[in-house]
Amino acid sequence: MEDCFEHKTVVVNGINMHVVEAGQGPVILFIHGFPELWYSWRHQISFASKHGYRAVAPDLRGFGDTTGVSKDDPSKFTSLQVVGDLVELLNTIAPKEEKVFVVGHDWGAIIAWALCLFRPDKVKALVNLSVAFSPRNPKRKPLETLCAVYGEDYYIVRFQEPGEIEAEFAKIGTKKVLEKFLSYRNPGPLYLPKGKPFDDNPVILPSWLPEKDVDYIASKYEKSGFTGGVNYYRAIDLNWELTAAWTGGKVKVPVKFIVGDLDLTYNAPGVKDYVHKGRMKKDVPLLEEVVILENVGHFLQQEKPDVINKHIHEFFHGFSSST
């Protein structure tokens, strides 16, 4: 599958960004989440490159083979900086394309929403997976809300203390941690109890995740560690502070949103009502379609690549490359 994938390093925004691309045509920018890499888009890159697109999938700052950011400083991992990286990447590798197509998942979906909020002039259309748009609440910081709703063992709360979760993951082993995350299918919230974040049950990998794929991802995390990815969660309150100017801002690009019905994000309190009862449509006025995949978990682009590829292709096909 990767025979035609080109790996390159692009200097953007003061960092060395590892980028994988394939194909020719209008650009589709794929933005990954945690604990993922560009590699979570392997099926989409292959498909898009064979269907008339130039697929571009970077490792975001702090992840994989992208280097040049101090992982000791969570303040370097806000959405403003990550969106800045991606805008500069597009300006560098596709200077003649005024607008591109975007696909995001998990943290990549959060970044994609931010990209569309900050720079709608750069985006033709967006397919976002897993994480619905979340309007900024001016009255309460996100961490305070998460603590109140879920308590101290909730994974985002557990990620806050620098070095703590990394030390626990080190005891468990990189590969096992990744197996536990990537095979998680519980629609309920993810709790990582202090001192013992995961149970001792052996992981049975799902059919869509061969061991060789876990080995590849683990080889990169062995080298880079988990701190870069976890820093995105450590910057959530800072994100909130820095994005005050966008309170009430609307996402004004055409959007298709896709989520699995077993996804923990879709089953979080209030999300289904937000998505289905018109409030998301108010915040994302050009939301054209919401797709709920039955019996599908969080890592949907890997679990159901053919279905996701078809949705992406159908949606983007409706937009001429000149717009």
Side-chain angles (χ1 to χ4, degrees), residues 272-291:
K272 288 178 185 174
D273 278 357
Y274 175 72
V275 170
H276 297 294
K277 293 192 173 174
R279 287 187 8 251
M280 183 162 157
K281 178 74 174 167
K282 281 184 183 158
D283 294 328
V284 187
L286 301 181
L287 178 67
E288 295 192 12
E289 193 179 354
V290 172
V291 179

Side-chain angles (χ1 to χ4, degrees), residues 1 14 30 60 118 121-122 179 290 307:
M1 182 194 288
F30 292 96
L60 298 182
F118 304 159
D121 58 304
K122 300 295 287 184
E179 287 176 341
V290 172
V307 174

Side-chain angles (χ1 to χ4, degrees), residues 26-134:
V27 168
I28 302 180
L29 175 67
F30 292 96
I31 314 175
H32 70 81
F34 175 85
E36 298 173 280
L37 303 164
W38 74 268
Y39 193 74
S40 63
W41 299 112
R42 58 199 176 280
H43 307 297
Q44 286 70 41
I45 297 167
S46 187
F47 180 91
S49 67
K50 289 170 186 158
H51 287 79
Y53 294 97
R54 180 184 176 194
V56 175
D59 283 337
L60 298 182
R61 61 167 56 205
F63 287 92
D65 292 324
T66 291
T67 61
V69 187
S70 169
K71 292 177 188 170
D72 298 333
D73 185 356
S75 73
K76 300 288 187 211
F77 292 84
T78 70
S79 297
L80 286 168
Q81 287 146 319
V82 183
V83 168
D85 298 343
L86 296 174
V87 169
E88 184 60 19
L89 174 67
L90 294 172
N91 290 342
T92 304
I93 65 165
K96 292 180 179 167
E97 285 209 49
E98 192 183 329
K99 296 185 174 190
V100 303
F101 295 113
V102 178
V103 182
H105 172 251
D106 186 76
W107 258 104
I110 295 170
I111 299 300
W113 291 124
L115 171 61
C116 294
L117 207 52
F118 304 159
R119 292 298 303 273
D121 58 304
K122 300 295 287 184
V123 183
K124 273 183 215 172
L126 167 67
V127 173
N128 240 357
L129 311 179
S130 178
V131 181
F133 183 72
S134 181

Side-chain angles (χ1 to χ4, degrees), residues 169-181:
F169 286 171
K171 285 181 188 168
I172 297 164
T174 300
K175 184 176 178 182
K176 187 163 184 195
V177 168
L178 289 165
E179 287 176 341
K180 288 285 189 182
F181 274 126

